[in-house]
Amino acid sequence: MKNDDLMYVPMLERKWRPLSFLFFPLPVVIVIVLALLQVGLSPDNAAEIIYGSWAVGFTLLNLSKEKIEDEMVKTFRLQAFQTGFFWLMCGLVAIMVVNYLRFGEFRQEIFSAPLVLFLLNAYVFAAFEYQKWRSNQ
């Protein structure tokens, strides 16, 4: 096994990109319908549905191939994941500070897996798109 094989992540085909865009409006519609049906959905559970769906959408976008997948795109992708992780840490600290100022204590329920995955993938997507935009300038 070559050293490059250890770092290979299989990318999704471009046909996954249109599907990923369905995960952004769909959970909002589902939450609104559930609220209208008065099924007793709490605001926290509604947020989890939305965060989880948006995390899936951004994950599909982040893992789908570009039209031209070359070394420059791979470098941008790596830098975007590094930048996204840094922004995630800053965002989590900001959430902790805001919640401490709001409630006067640290609460464990402010962080959930869907929220963290959504933030990470959103930051990675933004960093990657920004790098592509900057390279075209």
Side-chain angles (χ1 to χ4, degrees), residues 62-78:
N62 288 335
L63 295 178
S64 59
K65 291 181 181 177
E66 294 297 309
K67 288 180 184 176
I68 299 172
E69 193 73 27
D70 58 6
E71 290 300 317
M72 184 175 71
V73 169
K74 288 180 183 180
T75 301
F76 286 169
R77 199 178 300 281
L78 176 61

Side-chain angles (χ1 to χ4, degrees), residues 22 40 43 49 51-54 74 79 103 106 109 122 126 128 133:
L22 291 176
I49 291 170
Y51 290 147
S53 296
W54 288 353
K74 288 180 183 180
Q79 290 172 347
F103 298 113
F106 291 108
E109 63 269 3
F128 184 62
W133 176 78

Side-chain angles (χ1 to χ4, degrees), residues 9-13 58-65 77 81:
V9 176
M11 301 299 292
L12 299 172
E13 295 298 323
F58 276 122
T59 301
L60 291 174
L61 285 172
N62 288 335
L63 295 178
S64 59
K65 291 181 181 177
R77 199 178 300 281
F81 273 93

Side-chain angles (χ1 to χ4, degrees), residues 54-123:
W54 288 353
V56 170
F58 276 122
T59 301
L60 291 174
L61 285 172
N62 288 335
L63 295 178
S64 59
K65 291 181 181 177
E66 294 297 309
K67 288 180 184 176
I68 299 172
E69 193 73 27
D70 58 6
E71 290 300 317
M72 184 175 71
V73 169
K74 288 180 183 180
T75 301
F76 286 169
R77 199 178 300 281
L78 176 61
Q79 290 172 347
F81 273 93
Q82 292 169 335
T83 303
F85 189 80
F86 174 77
W87 289 350
L88 173 66
M89 293 298 103
C90 294
L92 294 179
V93 168
I95 289 172
M96 286 177 20
V97 168
V98 167
N99 276 289
Y100 182 77
L101 294 174
R102 183 174 172 202
F103 298 113
E105 65 182 0
F106 291 108
R107 297 175 173 218
Q108 75 180 44
E109 63 269 3
I110 61 174
F111 299 114
S112 67
L115 171 65
V116 172
L117 288 173
F118 161 65
L119 289 174
L120 175 61
N121 281 292
Y123 293 148

